[in-house]
Amino acid sequence: GGRRSPEILESDGVQTCLAAPVSDDSLPSTSTQVTYSTELVVHSLSPLLCRESGLIAVVLDNFSIQIVDGDNHSIVRTFHTDSQPTDLAFSPDSRWLIVSLLDSTIRTWDIPTGRMIDCFRVGSPVTSLAISPTGEALATAHA
C-alpha cells in the first residue's frame, strides 16, 4: 500500500518520459507517457522524481528546468538558468528545488511561488548534490 506516485522508467531524450505509478511494495503496474508541451529537447541530465509529491524535474537543452506534476502530467513551473545544470535535488518537503550549475553556483527555487530564494557560488562546479532527510544539510561533490 501507500501513496502511488510515478516512477521514471525511461526517457527518449527528446520530449517524452515513460512513467509508471508504483507503491512502496509493488512493481509498476501500468505505464503512462508524459509528453512535455515544449519543442525543446530534454537535456542529458536524467529527470528527477520526487516520490513524496509525484513531481518530476526535467532539464531542457536551453538549461530551463520544468517541474511536471506526475499525477496529471501538467507543467507546474519553469525555472530559467543561464548555465548548464549539473545536478538536482528536491527538499524533503518537496517545496524547494536545489540545482547545481556548471558556473559553480547552487540555486534554490521555491516551487509554490516560483521564486529563487537562494544562490551562492562554490569554488568549483558541483558534479553531485544531495540534501539530508531533515533538510538541514546539503552535501556536494566536485570534479
Side-chain angles (χ1 to χ4, degrees), residues 88-121:
L88 310 165
F90 283 102
S91 63
D93 63 2
S94 307
R95 184 175 176 91
W96 297 346
L97 180 69
I98 300 103
V99 180
S100 59
L101 300 163
L102 197 56
D103 67 1
S104 300
T105 60
I106 297 175
R107 300 178 189 189
T108 303
W109 278 280
D110 184 72
I111 295 169
T113 65
R115 293 190 175 144
M116 183 170 43
I117 58 172
D118 197 11
C119 178
F120 61 94
R121 187 171 301 279

Side-chain angles (χ1 to χ4, degrees), residues 18-87:
L18 184 62
V22 296
S23 64
D24 294 338
D25 57 359
S26 71
L27 295 174
S29 54
T30 59
S31 297
T32 303
Q33 277 195 347
V34 178
T35 303
Y36 309 113
S37 59
T38 177
E39 293 184 12
L40 297 170
V41 177
V42 175
H43 189 269
S44 60
L45 185 63
S46 295
L48 175 67
L49 170 68
C50 180
R51 288 189 181 275
E52 291 75 21
S53 65
L55 295 176
I56 303 168
V58 180
V59 178
L60 304 177
D61 267 356
N62 69 351
F63 306 148
S64 294
I65 302 160
Q66 289 187 337
I67 304 297
V68 178
D69 183 325
D71 293 331
N72 66 23
H73 309 193
S74 64
I75 296 172
V76 177
R77 289 274 180 249
T78 301
F79 301 115
H80 300 281
T81 70
D82 53 0
S83 183
Q84 178 179 334
T86 58
D87 204 6

